[in-house]
Amino acid sequence: MQPVALLPRHLDSAAVVASDQLRLDAAPVDYALVAVYFVFVLGIGLMARARVSSSIDFFLSGRSLPAWVTGLAFISANLGAVEIMGMSANGAEYGLPTMHYFWIGAVPAMLFLGVVMMPFYYGSKVRSVPEFMRRRFGTGAHLVNALSFAVAQVLIAGVNLYLLGSIVNVLLGWPLWLSVIVAALIVLSYITLGGLSAAIYNEVLQFFVIVAALLPLTLVGLHRIGGVGGLKDKVSALSDGSQQLHSWPGNELSGFTDNFLSVLGIVLGLGFVLSFGYWTTNFVEVQRALATHSISAARRTPIIGAFPKMFIPFIVVVPGMVSALLIPQIKDLKSGGSTGATYNQALLYLMKEVLPNGLLGVGLAGLLAAFMAGMAANISAFNTVFSYDLWEQYVKKHEPDGYYLTVGRLATIGATAVAVGTAFIAGSFSNMMDYLQTLFSFFNAPLFATFILGMFWKRMTATAGWVGLVFGTLCAVVVFVMDKSGVIHLSGQGSSFVAAGVAFVVDIVLSVVVSLVTTPKPAAELVGLVYSETPKNRLTDADSADLPWYQRPVLLAGIGLVIVIALNVFVG
């Protein structure tokens, strides 16, 4: 872990100048709007505390929430650094190919999660994704999954925390280390009070605050450069303008110069391995669906979230593209200059340039909401896995329920403290998406391979479960090291796509080979865990046939799939 006293590499003297240039001219009305937002956040935490009387209330909201609430929370939990700063940074650097992270790299997998995988998660009554792994593969794969997930969450929480601290630094001029600590304490307070319910209800509030912040920023920014027509004209004038105005073939994003290989890399690396690996096995997201009251509601949760997910890029990616045309520091960075600015700051520079007081306060509240939602989602998932899958399973079994509730609250405090340290690791990456895609290739790609094979192939054994995970992850790390040492080189996030693909293939091949030479579980022990061994009535609610059309998961998913295909064809 990088000591807090050491500044990340892009916070050198030039970056300090850039930070001074970024100081926002906030007026009292802006501070007042931010303060009102924090009052609501803490108030929700206090109200949610009254509903917490057991560990299942704290970790899974008592499995009682409606689908529309968990659906909005599902998408809001992902509207952290990945969506806001990371995707606007990608928009500034790569342009419209960034749309692939939404229309190829998210929506199809979200629909698949709702239609195919949620019935298994919810129907088995597991409390976490690693617990599902334990039931399917035993303690070996479970321990690997639980430990890797816990590590990933504190690292990704650090991303959100670093950017949250950066906003406070820009707003108030506090030192970055102090800003990070204050931001961490704010999130810690409401998660410790109200658990998952506080996180979810705050995520619903945060979704609307984020949209209210980014929509005016997009519209005002477009107006400043002459609307959509002006955006197209100015991007076309850039040396790589034709690539930035079309999402396909996305050569700069994938790192491949050959168009066919670029499309193949995006579809298979991002659209299949990384996307399905993230959305279908990531407990941060699945946890929101597990908090619902029925299988049907759990299935609808990611499907409901997929509809706003399709349109979020228009208020995230486009402002990044506008910033690269309008802001001198980002324009200079794009042309190879060294003003000390980074692509991660594209949105902040645009806010400073185009938003008047009042709207600036809404914009700041929206960014704070985004980073708090992302960090809270990571921490609430971490404390569940730590308490149920690590502490209860391997340290202290058969304790009273109140004991695990206390462990969960202490784990929340511990994870937040660790995230303060990992925040400064995240700060060493100029484009935050490079960092996040690297983590996803390490942890999510091999996990998806293990899950999908184990769910549809009853012959897969417990030994194959942990062997595939371990060696799949190691192979992704090897590809990362080879790229960083210059043995291979792909620009953009191409190395992450390749690492994910390698991890997936190695995991599948090893799992098949090991399964063929080891003994599988009896079929009776696979009911509810493997598709072929599970009666269909266990995957649906008793009243599912009587649901109105707008509550039928498969029909909603079909509508979503048609829309996302149309977006890829007509906008891409």
Side-chain angles (χ1 to χ4, degrees), residues 270-334:
L270 174 63
F272 180 62
V273 178
L274 281 172
S275 171
F276 278 69
Y278 176 82
W279 291 102
T280 65
T281 65
N282 186 3
F283 182 54
V284 172
E285 305 296 337
V286 173
Q287 186 180 28
R288 271 85 196 132
L290 293 180
T292 56
H293 56 80
S294 67
I295 293 176
S296 175
R299 296 180 78 187
R300 292 198 306 274
T301 293
I303 297 171
I304 289 171
F307 285 92
K309 181 73 172 180
M310 296 178 203
F311 300 100
I312 289 293
F314 291 108
I315 58 173
V316 175
V317 177
V318 172
M321 296 176 67
V322 171
S323 182
L325 299 171
L326 194 63
I327 306 301
Q329 292 87 345
I330 306 300
K331 289 172 65 177
D332 184 63
L333 176 65
K334 202 169 177 66

Side-chain angles (χ1 to χ4, degrees), residues 52-61 127 388 401-402 404-405:
V52 176
S53 59
S54 67
S55 65
I56 204 72
D57 291 334
F58 185 79
F59 296 120
L60 289 175
S61 300
R127 298 166 298 182
Y388 283 149
D401 185 74
Y404 297 111
L405 178 59

Side-chain angles (χ1 to χ4, degrees), residues 8 10 77-87 89 151-168 176 179-180 183-184 187 278 344 348 367-368 370-376 378-379 415-440 443:
H10 70 273
N78 187 246
L79 278 174
V82 178
E83 297 287 312
I84 307 303
M85 301 293 268
M87 291 304 177
V151 170
Q153 292 324 296
V154 293
L155 289 172
I156 298 171
V159 173
N160 287 291
L161 185 55
Y162 174 79
L163 293 172
L164 182 54
S166 298
I167 300 301
V168 177
L176 186 62
S179 304
V180 165
V187 176
Y278 176 82
N344 293 323
L348 292 176
L367 287 182
L368 293 170
F371 306 145
M372 289 170 67
M375 181 184 173
N378 297 130
I379 296 299
T416 305
V418 174
V420 170
T422 64
F424 292 91
I425 299 175
S428 67
F429 286 76
S430 174
N431 185 334
M432 206 63 70
M433 279 304 300
D434 294 345
Y435 176 61
L436 289 165
Q437 291 303 321
T438 298
L439 293 179
F440 295 156
F443 300 118

Side-chain angles (χ1 to χ4, degrees), residues 108-122 132 276 280 295 299 302-303 452 455-456 531 539 553-554 557:
M110 293 167 70
L111 300 177
F112 181 84
L113 170 63
V115 172
V116 177
M117 297 187 73
M118 276 315 306
F120 286 92
Y121 287 140
Y122 196 94
F132 187 91
F276 278 69
T280 65
I295 293 176
R299 296 180 78 187
I303 297 171
I452 205 68
M455 190 173 285
F456 291 98
Y531 189 82
L539 302 177
V554 175

Side-chain angles (χ1 to χ4, degrees), residues 20 30 43 45 86 118 122 137 188 245 255 263 275 286 293 306 308 335 370 394 432 453 523:
D20 291 339
D30 301 310
M118 276 315 306
Y122 196 94
F137 296 112
L188 175 65
L245 278 177
V263 172
S275 171
V286 173
H293 56 80
S335 62
Y394 300 106
M432 206 63 70
L453 191 62

